Amino acid sequence: MNLSIHIFMDQSIAVHQKKRGRGRPATGRDPLLSARVPDAVRERVDRYAAEREITRSEAVRELLETALDQRPAGPRAAK
């Protein structure tokens, strides 16, 4: 005895996914700011962060804000 069952499926629903850009997706809300610093400065920032148990990024933000808050108003003197 030969028994065969044929199931006909309706056409599948097409799903159009938004094409993503290359690279890692952004993880933060704020724009990225990067800078090259000497190893000695990076080590000082890392020590600062470790003493306060915060990330390097948080330490850099704190240090920048502190420096900018203490900066005198007006243009910088020419060298």
Side-chain angles (χ1 to χ4, degrees), residues 4-76:
S4 59
I5 300 175
H6 296 282
I7 300 175
F8 296 98
M9 297 178 63
D10 290 337
Q11 185 175 2
S12 63
I13 299 171
V15 176
H16 300 286
Q17 292 183 346
K18 184 178 178 183
K19 188 168 183 171
R20 297 182 187 177
R22 295 177 64 151
R24 182 174 184 228
T27 57
R29 298 179 306 253
D30 299 325
L32 175 67
L33 174 66
S34 63
R36 294 184 187 275
V37 296
D39 284 339
V41 174
R42 182 190 46 80
E43 290 169 0
R44 289 176 66 190
V45 171
D46 288 345
R47 276 197 304 274
Y48 178 91
E51 289 168 0
R52 288 157 182 77
E53 297 181 350
I54 58 177
T55 65
R56 181 188 292 164
S57 293
E58 291 170 322
V60 169
R61 282 191 290 271
E62 282 184 14
L63 292 165
L64 279 171
E65 288 177 10
T66 300
L68 290 171
D69 289 346
Q70 294 176 359
R71 184 176 153 256
R76 184 175 176 189

